[in-house]
Amino acid sequence: MPELKKGLIENVRPDIRNIKVNQIRAIDTEFRQIDGLLRLTLGEPDFNAPDLVKKAMIDSIQKNHSHYSTARGSEEFRQAAADFLKRNYQLDFDPDTEILTTVGSTEAIFATLSTILKEGDELLAPSPAYPLYEQLAHVNHTKMVYIPTNDTDFVLTPQRLQETIAQHPNARAIVLTYPNNPTGVDYSREQLQQLADVIAKTNLLVVSDEIYSTLNYVGKHISIGSILPEQTVVLNGVSKSHAMTGDRIGFVAAPKELISEIVKIHQFAITAVSNPAMAGATAALNEGDAVTEQMRAEYQQRRDFLIPEFKKLGFDVAAPDGAFYLFLKIPADQNQDDVAFARELAHKALVGVIPGSCFGPGGEGYLRLSYAASESNLKEALARLQKYLAKSPC
């Protein structure tokens, strides 16, 4: 195995060396080493991609679509994305100039934030929040500013947003993720309108991460892009909606002036997206609504089954509005160090969950459990937790 010449590690940017690896992935990798563990860690649908997706990908391969796509992605996929946004969320985007295809929503986040953030800026996000935002803020020499929501049922209020903006004049953008990872909170039209009224008085950009938008249990998902189109970048994709996490297709929808800049970062990093994957994603968005609804209904059944069971175990948990996570408040009689308690459950109860502090300061004292798992595995996890907590010395 080669070793780096002594001293050459100093050539790596110090700020990059100080960035943490993805803590969700790190915890999952650690727990994978435990024999017999039930992993409820990652946001990985337990369904397989629909047959219509597989057929479209096979057809693409057989038609020798192995050459470069355009940087923005195939015309067919961008049209499908525009139609999907119009059909579901009443968003109007020109597929030629206002849609960019990305390698999953992760690259959509990366390309967008790398385009709009500069040294000295601040990036706002309600906390708890998906950890990628903070690390990309650091990459771009930007300060992450978390807005606490623990005392408002994990909902960002217009009052708190207004106060935060006043205290942070260097704020460049705010990231809104809804349904939220990890809390599952979604926003009503009225709530979004109140936030938009505050943001409209500023030059903030809204980066609206709506990757879980189809997995909503409380009504129709509303995009803030339909309320504040001139200040919103909408991010979405097929990973969660169509169980296509490994195919890595996402997209950015924004005013053409922004897309023209974001595509530069995308092109330098990626060049172009896989044609067979785009073909599958095109079929998913055009023909897969019924499949998505079947998945959503199954997730809702799991949610409704799990919530009363965890309450019996002493966890405080609110019903998530969407996505497929439970954000569990650790019982008062248990170890309140969420990292230590998650490791305790992994090694002694053989149930793997993610510590809430992986999602920023607002997640301390919580655990995130993914119920994108089979009913049998969820029941077994409950049985193991019940057995362990019953004899826990805490």
Side-chain angles (χ1 to χ4, degrees):
M1 293 290 289
E3 292 185 6
L4 190 66
K5 183 177 179 180
K6 187 176 180 180
L8 280 187
I9 193 63
E10 300 299 327
N11 292 355
V12 177
R13 282 170 40 187
D15 57 322
I16 297 297
R17 290 167 60 191
N18 289 333
I19 291 175
K20 296 179 180 178
V21 298
N22 185 319
Q23 292 302 290
I24 297 172
R25 290 282 179 172
I27 289 288
D28 178 69
T29 299
E30 175 187 334
F31 289 174
R32 281 174 184 263
Q33 312 308 312
I34 302 173
D35 289 339
L37 181 84
L38 280 175
R39 289 171 48 246
L40 305 177
T41 47
L42 297 184
E44 172 71 63
D46 60 307
F47 300 100
N48 292 318
D51 287 342
L52 61 93
V53 168
K54 298 174 187 176
K55 181 180 183 302
M57 295 179 73
I58 291 170
D59 287 347
S60 176
I61 293 169
Q62 291 179 334
K63 291 176 181 177
N64 295 313
H65 294 166
S66 56
H67 305 282
Y68 283 128
S69 169
T70 64
R72 293 178 184 236
S74 71
E75 292 181 10
E76 293 81 5
F77 177 75
R78 285 183 281 123
Q79 184 65 62
D83 291 344
F84 168 82
L85 294 176
K86 177 66 174 178
R87 181 172 71 248
N88 289 288
Y89 312 122
Q90 292 71 58
L91 296 170
D92 289 303
F93 287 101
D94 182 343
D96 292 330
T97 61
E98 297 176 333
I99 301 282
L100 170 64
T101 315
T102 59
V103 181
S105 63
T106 298
E107 196 240 323
I109 298 166
F110 170 81
T112 300
L113 294 184
S114 296
T115 299
I116 66 176
L117 298 178
K118 68 179 186 302
E119 186 171 1
D121 283 345
E122 294 175 311
L123 178 65
L124 311 181
S127 177
Y130 186 52
L132 178 65
Y133 311 132
E134 179 176 5
Q135 302 311 322
L136 289 181
H138 292 331
V139 167
N140 290 285
H141 307 285
T142 297
K143 180 182 178 182
M144 189 76 210
V145 176
Y146 285 118
I147 309 173
T149 62
N150 300 64
D151 58 346
T152 55
D153 296 324
F154 298 117
V155 173
L156 176 63
T157 65
Q159 294 81 8
R160 186 152 296 168
L161 175 59
Q162 191 166 13
E163 292 168 359
T164 304
I165 292 172
Q167 295 164 3
H168 295 277
N170 293 326
R172 173 72 53 183
I174 178 169
V175 176
L176 293 179
T177 310
Y178 59 103
N180 180 267
N181 175 11
T183 66
V185 164
D186 206 348
Y187 288 83
S188 67
R189 179 173 293 278
E190 180 182 4
Q191 289 172 319
L192 288 171
Q193 182 65 63
Q194 291 173 347
L195 296 176
D197 288 343
V198 174
I199 296 168
K201 298 173 184 176
T202 74
N203 285 325
L204 284 177
L205 274 172
V206 181
V207 179
S208 190
D209 185 349
E210 302 178 35
I211 191 65
Y212 295 99
S213 60
T214 60
L215 304 179
N216 188 302
Y217 313 127
V218 294
K220 195 71 173 176
H221 174 84
I222 307 297
S223 174
I224 195 170
S226 65
I227 302 171
L228 198 65
E230 66 275 18
Q231 285 177 255
T232 302
V233 180
V234 176
L235 312 180
N236 215 311
V238 296
S239 292
K240 315 298 184 179
S241 58
H242 295 84
M244 295 175 64
T245 53
D247 296 305
R248 310 309 303 135
I249 297 293
F251 58 90
V252 183
K256 62 182 181 181
E257 296 88 352
L258 266 178
I259 290 293
S260 294
E261 301 304 321
I262 297 171
V263 72
K264 296 175 184 177
I265 298 297
H266 163 79
Q267 190 171 20
F268 295 148
I270 303 300
T271 302
V273 174
S274 160
N275 284 306
M278 276 192 291
T282 300
L285 293 182
N286 284 338
E287 308 169 47
D289 286 0
V291 177
T292 297
E293 173 54 26
Q294 291 173 2
M295 295 181 191
R296 189 208 63 78
E298 177 63 28
Y299 289 136
Q300 185 169 356
Q301 289 180 11
R302 296 175 190 177
R303 178 199 72 159
D304 295 344
F305 163 70
L306 288 172
I307 288 172
E309 296 300 321
F310 273 100
K311 287 183 177 179
K312 292 176 187 176
L313 294 177
F315 290 90
D316 182 16
V317 53
D321 300 326
F324 39 58
Y325 307 110
L326 292 184
F327 204 50
L328 305 164
K329 183 74 176 72
I330 298 173
D333 61 349
Q334 300 295 328
N335 188 345
Q336 295 301 296
D337 182 332
D338 55 278
V339 176
F341 189 55
R343 287 194 170 113
E344 185 180 317
L345 294 181
H347 287 279
K348 297 181 179 179
L350 295 180
V351 176
V353 293
I354 297 296
S357 57
C358 289
F359 302 90
E364 294 172 353
Y366 288 82
L367 303 171
R368 191 198 74 173
L369 176 147
S370 170
Y371 53 87
S374 68
E375 181 180 350
S376 60
N377 279 349
L378 293 173
K379 288 182 176 179
E380 176 61 23
L382 281 169
R384 293 182 184 185
L385 290 171
Q386 183 179 26
K387 181 178 179 180
Y388 176 72
L389 294 173
K391 64 181 181 180
S392 174
C394 296

